Amino acid sequence: MRSEKIQQIVVTAEQMRTIENRIFSAGMPVAALMEKVAIKITQRLQTFFLENSITPSNKIGILVGPGHNGGDGLVVARELHFLGYSIIIYSPFSKQKELTEAHISYAVSLGIPICSKIEELQPCDVIIDGLFGFGLERPITGEIADAINTINTWNKLVISIDLPSGIHTDTGAILGTAIRADLTLCLGLWKQAFLQDEGLDYIGTSELIDFDIPLTDITAILGESPILNRITSSISIQTLPLPRPANSHKYKNGHLLIIAGSQQYTGAAILAGLGARASGVGMLSIAVPNSIKSLLSSVLPEALIIGCPETEKGAILKLPESIDLRRYQTIACGPGLTLEAQPIVQTILTANCPIILDADALNILSKLNPFFTLSSRQYPTIITPHLGEFKRLFPELIELEKNKINLAKQAAELTQAIIVLKGARTCIATPNQVWINPDSTPALGRGGSGDVLTGLIGGLLPPILLAEKPVESIVNSAVWWHSQAGILAAKERTELGVDAYTLTQYLIPALTPFVKSRERSKGYSNKGS
């Protein structure tokens, strides 16, 4: 389906420019495309204005740059003027591209006020930013920087066309200063900036304006399997092991072993176990220090809690002989272990099954030559670092590269592992592709939420492995599901009310509407079975 495919694709500024040039070379007039794009923007603005009680009585200021982004803004200004809105155009540039200059002349002929001083927009209720679109490389300075900083002090609704002016298209970095938008309407294809942490405070809510770029032109530049992709809800739901076969049983749904916890960090093992519980894994075993075994048993009665000999400080000393690593489809290791558990991590690295390493397992791995250690494994390895853990694992990469997406991709290539680089926009990299989770919430920025994700990934993997399906696809689904639970919890409890334990209680409620929608679309229901 075209709309689904378009929502997945992410481009750099260079790729977007190449795709557009291909369209123009094929015969699409620049002026015609500008009209089409701006009309689509105007249609979306009409709906948005209606939803937010913005009427023609509200004044709208439009910032116009010298290029085609400014031209888009001018066509929007013209169309809103025809709809009865009171428009003021801010155009501080003495030179514009030919097409943009033509639209300014027509705006003047229509009697739309044009100004060069930003203060003249102060009476406006809405500001539409059409200064600079994708491809900006130089810092914004001087009068334009002052104008942007002035707008950012106003308490007005701001809508940016394509990108907030001042955002680097690929990195999301702020080029001197940038517009703080409430809504950004990305044009054509998603740009990398929307999936980087740096510019998120400036982008606000984002939507894609699809102006019907032919898929043939996209694949000609990006190939059939683009390197960089957005995770979407429909892809995530399709990958989950649902619906289950009628003859399903616990052995078909797989066996997960979690190795976690210590006297100091009891909760980490519990949270990982609760994340795994929500996954529907057939069998769950959790290895913890003997001293906290009873606590885990009371919280997770369905799990097999395996007590382990422990150090004087309460960390796992060694795995008991009852644990045969060959029994498990997946092993998750790390939450709450402490650095004393290095022998445990070294043992897990030799396991003949996929493993997930998180938290202290990553800190231990950083001391074991991670490039060699991970690349020498014969089975899939998933590591889930936040940026601090990533820096400890791969300091050589950090010195050479600042783009988070590129960092994750390079680490995956060098280690042959699946890298889940956590952040406001979590990045999942394999040696061949990168997927970004576009939706999340600051509510997940609390201790323990990563432990929940580790358990969730671990629990989802066994049935996928038994069905011989790709491992990386279910990792994407787990990251998406985890964030949806955080979003729902924050919506009901505010961003302050989403501790990690609460997050586990929202995993199933967050998933249920998507699953039901999928069932309706397929025309069946599980009722009465």
Side-chain angles (χ1 to χ4, degrees), residues 343-364:
I344 306 302
V345 175
Q346 290 176 306
T347 299
I348 297 309
L349 285 165
T350 67
N352 293 329
C353 69
I355 62 173
I356 304 158
L357 302 179
D358 182 34
D360 283 322
L362 298 177
N363 294 325
I364 291 168

Side-chain angles (χ1 to χ4, degrees), residues 430-490:
T430 70
N432 300 314
Q433 280 191 310
V434 179
W435 290 79
I436 313 287
N437 182 36
D439 301 311
S440 192
T441 169
L444 292 175
R446 297 181 67 168
S449 67
D451 302 330
V452 177
L453 177 61
T454 296
L456 186 62
I457 296 173
L460 287 171
L461 270 174
I464 295 297
L465 293 163
L466 290 171
E468 299 182 347
K469 294 181 179 179
V471 169
E472 58 269 22
S473 60
I474 200 64
V475 177
N476 295 345
S477 296
V479 169
W480 168 84
W481 182 1
H482 180 263
S483 69
Q484 291 300 316
I487 291 168
L488 178 61

Side-chain angles (χ1 to χ4, degrees), residues 62 88-92 112-121:
I62 299 186
I88 303 176
I89 293 171
Y90 168 72
S91 178
I112 300 174
I114 312 277
C115 68
S116 59
K117 300 294 183 182
I118 198 63
E119 291 76 18
E120 295 186 53
L121 297 191

Side-chain angles (χ1 to χ4, degrees), residues 205-227:
T205 302
S206 58
E207 297 179 17
L208 185 69
I209 301 294
D210 178 8
F211 56 79
D212 304 314
I213 298 175
L215 288 175
T216 53
D217 289 318
I218 296 171
T219 55
I221 305 305
L222 303 182
E224 292 292 340
S225 298
I227 292 175

Side-chain angles (χ1 to χ4, degrees), residues 421-432:
L421 182 50
K422 296 182 289 193
R425 294 292 179 265
T426 293
C427 177
I428 302 98
T430 70
N432 300 314

